[in-house]
Amino acid sequence: MDDDDLFTALVPWAPEHLARWNEHWRSDLLRTVGPDLALVGDTSWGAAVRDAVGLAVPDPLDWANRVVELPSGGWALTGIRFRGRDVSKPFVDVIATSVRPDAAGLAELGSVLEDARAFSPLCFRVRLPGDLLRVRALAGHGSSVAPDQLVVAGPVSVIAGREQTPGASAVELVPTTPEAAAPRVAAVYETVRRVTPDLDEWAAPADEDGLGDADEQGLLFEVVVDGRAAGVVAAARDDAYGFTGFVVEEIALDDDHRGQGLGPAVLRALARRLPATEADVLWGHVHADNTPSLRGALASGRAVCATLAWVTPDGWPGMPGSRPVR
């Protein structure tokens, strides 16, 4: 396919915010799909993934990204993935497709599961533009649709420019290291896990390797509130979904500082430290059931721009723990 065909396919699935926030969104949208497209038919990459995962699917082409022909003659760019790197939770990731993000399009995409049957996939995943209202509109058409992660994003300039709430605690960001930050993050997650059993379905704590990019870019910080250590926040440059900008790699506040509305203040302080251009956004993933984190993300000036959703055609198992919308 050429760039024109790919761009035409990507636009209906793209967040509507792109055109408002970035005048170069057309080229950036194409560019963010480029790495996945380059892995189509890459047997070296496929063999490396096969050997790392260890499942008895020998052909490296099965592990590489692929372009699947759909019943109507359209196509879908897909890859086999495992939720949380758990081999018992295989799914097909639909990265781009020529069909539209509607009930008919989702029904046609069901054939990507047959193409990947060697892996016994549970369902496939799409990136729908918009929030949960879009997901609800697609429910009940021969497939169950369950939200997974919400993509929340906002212009760095907007987040950095938000006014401080009167009487809010003073937030300071102090550079730290992965070796110091990772244990702090793990301890925060362990505390939260005691009262939030579903936490492991929502997010995993960033470890030293996961915080490495933020550290290399000088964007790994200890959060200090009114002179007291309060947690960790980290970001790294990462262009995705057509956006250019920075992803929130981690934001973890300890038990003494959660539930006080500090999240927006921390993100505002973070945004002010980012080496951002006018078109850059600060984005991240928030699980659809994680109401406190979603509330904080929206309060910081970000918006729900897209929804990663599990789609399970009739007769397929579905992703454990997912709750289809009705």
Side-chain angles (χ1 to χ4, degrees), residues 12-88:
W13 296 82
E16 63 178 23
H17 305 73
L18 276 178
R20 299 203 303 269
W21 293 346
N22 182 2
E23 63 178 333
H24 304 296
W25 68 278
R26 293 172 179 82
S27 58
D28 288 337
L29 183 61
L30 283 169
R31 184 167 53 83
T32 53
V33 179
D36 287 305
L37 197 57
L39 294 175
V40 172
D42 187 332
T43 54
S44 295
W45 182 77
V49 176
R50 176 200 62 197
D51 295 345
V53 174
L55 290 181
V57 180
D59 190 342
L61 273 175
D62 289 336
W63 293 85
N65 286 358
R66 56 203 297 135
V67 177
V68 178
E69 184 174 346
L70 301 176
S72 66
W75 55 268
L77 170 61
T78 69
I80 190 67
R81 305 289 186 264
F82 302 88
R83 186 183 187 187
R85 300 183 179 182
D86 184 341
V87 295
S88 71

Side-chain angles (χ1 to χ4, degrees), residues 36-310:
D36 287 305
L37 197 57
L39 294 175
V40 172
D42 187 332
T43 54
S44 295
W45 182 77
V49 176
R50 176 200 62 197
D51 295 345
V53 174
L55 290 181
V57 180
D59 190 342
L61 273 175
D62 289 336
W63 293 85
N65 286 358
R66 56 203 297 135
V67 177
V68 178
E69 184 174 346
L70 301 176
S72 66
W75 55 268
L77 170 61
T78 69
I80 190 67
R81 305 289 186 264
F82 302 88
R83 186 183 187 187
R85 300 183 179 182
D86 184 341
V87 295
S88 71
K89 297 178 180 179
F91 67 94
V92 176
D93 195 23
V94 177
I95 302 158
T97 179
S98 61
V99 301
R100 297 186 62 83
D102 54 24
L106 294 190
E108 189 164 359
L109 285 172
S111 63
V112 303
L113 295 175
E114 292 290 348
D115 182 77
R117 188 173 279 279
F119 295 93
S120 300
L122 304 175
C123 57
F124 65 90
R125 189 179 70 176
V126 294
R127 301 162 176 82
L128 294 171
D131 57 17
L132 293 177
L133 292 177
R134 184 62 174 267
V135 178
R136 292 190 180 98
L138 295 173
H141 295 279
S143 298
S144 68
V145 185
D148 180 29
Q149 302 284 339
L150 306 176
V151 179
V152 292
V156 173
S157 59
V158 171
I159 298 168
R162 290 178 75 85
E163 294 293 330
Q164 177 81 346
T165 304
S169 300
V171 172
E172 182 183 4
L173 302 185
V174 179
T176 186
T177 66
E179 294 78 13
R184 296 280 306 279
V185 172
V188 169
Y189 274 68
E190 184 57 36
T191 301
V192 176
R193 190 176 289 110
R194 294 171 191 158
V195 295
T196 309
D198 291 335
L199 180 64
D200 291 338
E201 295 291 327
W202 297 354
D207 57 15
E208 288 187 27
D209 289 340
L211 295 170
D213 287 344
D215 180 48
E216 290 177 4
Q217 297 174 37
L219 298 175
L220 173 60
F221 303 103
E222 180 179 53
V223 178
V224 178
V225 177
D226 292 331
R228 295 175 56 206
V232 172
V233 68
R237 180 164 280 283
D238 189 1
D239 301 338
Y241 307 109
F243 294 119
T244 65
F246 301 83
V247 62
V248 179
E249 295 277 9
E250 186 61 83
I251 178 169
L253 296 176
D254 62 32
D255 199 41
D256 291 340
H257 293 92
R258 283 196 305 277
Q260 301 177 27
L262 286 170
V266 173
L267 291 176
R268 184 186 68 163
L270 176 64
R272 293 182 174 184
R273 303 291 287 268
L274 298 175
T277 69
E278 188 61 31
D280 282 340
V281 305
L282 181 63
W283 68 275
H285 293 122
V286 176
H287 194 277
D289 291 335
N290 191 348
T291 302
S293 291
L294 180 59
R295 187 183 301 118
L298 299 179
S300 73
R302 295 189 288 173
V304 178
C305 299
T307 303
L308 307 186
W310 305 116

